[in-house]
Amino acid sequence: MARRLRAAWRLLRVAVHLAHGMAIVALRWRALDAPAREARVAWWAGKLLRVLGLQQQLDGRFHPGPVLLLSNHVSWLDILVIHAACPQARFVSKADVRSWPLLGWLVGAVGTLFIERERKRDALRVVHQVAAALAGGDTIAVFPEGTTGDGRALLPFHANLLQAAIAGGHPVQPVVLRFHQPGHRFSPEVAWLGETTLLQNLWAVLCAEGLTVELSVLPALGSRHADRRALAARVQQAITEVLATADAGPAPPT
């Protein structure tokens, strides 16, 4: 009962924080310059993580200037985690995210590029958009698995969007997300799998105790004249090695 009451209190605070974010976007967003927007993105994402009960640990530094971030994908929380540490990042996300209540509108407001993965022609369109954004100095974040996994092992990578970095000779940077909690090296509550709905996963996160997310930012890799599949394999190997090391270590104490 105590856990459910705490989860309900967190849910109320989440609703208030979402309303605050909507007010900022609706009333002030257009008047803000880029640094001011990034400051608010970092603050809003970081506070929402804290309201949800997550501690965040950051290891490594993001590459300055235009870069394509390639991250493993565990949950809808991934966007918040990366935005809290790298607020300038623009995400490439599945088109159906736009239909999420409230969050879809907020995600779109911060410059997200949407892709319909079922349409091959749409992938080409987004490659051109990402290439143009990188050429303009942006940081673009991609989940090359295309869907969420259990956090322990990677799903096959889709290499198409790496062509956007290769075309302009921009670096790619592997990013590793690992959610854990007491007794679990990889949190079963955070992983958003199967037919679980967004609201069901949200409630699981709200009920969890001692959640921590480790964000490991690995060294950037050059992309000039690279083969996109070979480059994707290098990124996948780098992320896999970090996850394997975590899997081999001791579980957090209960």
Side-chain angles (χ1 to χ4, degrees):
M1 179 60 70
R3 180 176 295 188
R4 289 180 176 272
L5 288 174
R6 182 172 56 252
W9 171 241
R10 287 175 174 173
L11 181 59
L12 177 61
R13 294 181 65 198
V14 166
V16 172
H17 193 58
L18 282 174
H20 190 181
M22 293 178 67
I24 292 174
V25 171
L27 301 176
R28 303 189 60 189
W29 201 247
R30 292 184 180 180
L32 299 176
D33 60 14
R37 288 186 176 189
E38 290 171 10
R40 280 160 177 78
V41 167
W43 168 82
W44 191 87
K47 182 174 180 179
L48 185 52
L49 289 172
R50 293 191 295 273
V51 168
L52 290 166
L54 273 82
Q55 299 285 332
Q56 183 171 7
Q57 299 174 354
L58 174 63
D59 179 34
R61 295 184 178 182
F62 290 96
H63 180 83
V67 62
L68 183 65
L69 305 178
L70 300 170
S71 173
N72 62 319
H73 199 11
V74 185
S75 166
W76 53 275
L77 292 167
D78 301 347
I79 294 174
L80 296 174
V81 174
I82 294 175
H83 261 162
C86 185
Q88 70 272 23
R90 297 177 63 190
F91 282 85
V92 176
S93 180
K94 293 187 294 186
D96 57 2
V97 170
R98 281 183 291 197
S99 65
W100 288 3
L102 304 182
L103 279 177
W105 179 65
L106 289 175
V107 167
V110 295
T112 299
L113 304 173
F114 294 102
I115 181 173
E116 296 184 26
R117 294 190 180 275
E118 297 78 11
R119 297 175 55 195
K120 293 183 178 180
R121 290 185 179 179
D122 202 53
L124 181 59
R125 175 187 64 83
V126 176
V127 166
H128 290 310
Q129 283 191 332
V130 172
L134 290 170
D138 288 349
T139 296
I140 303 295
V142 174
F143 300 115
E145 294 168 284
T147 188
T148 53
D150 63 6
R152 187 182 299 271
L154 291 178
L155 300 172
F157 270 26
H158 299 281
N160 289 347
L161 292 182
L162 273 72
Q163 190 61 43
I166 294 170
H170 301 293
V172 302
Q173 188 163 28
V175 175
V176 189
L177 295 166
R178 182 171 72 94
F179 297 86
H180 59 84
Q181 63 192 94
H184 298 278
R185 298 186 188 94
F186 298 88
S187 169
E189 274 79 11
V190 169
W192 187 15
L193 302 171
E195 300 301 319
T196 304
T197 67
L198 175 61
L199 291 178
Q200 288 172 333
N201 187 253
L202 170 61
W203 184 251
V205 171
L206 291 169
C207 291
E209 296 185 31
L211 283 177
T212 298
V213 56
E214 294 184 7
L215 175 60
S216 300
V217 185
L218 307 184
L221 304 173
S223 71
R224 191 173 300 277
H225 305 306
D227 175 83
R228 70 171 186 244
R229 290 182 176 83
L231 184 58
R234 289 180 64 193
V235 173
Q236 190 168 10
Q237 180 63 30
I239 295 175
T240 296
E241 288 176 358
V242 174
L243 295 176
T245 300
D247 202 10
T254 56

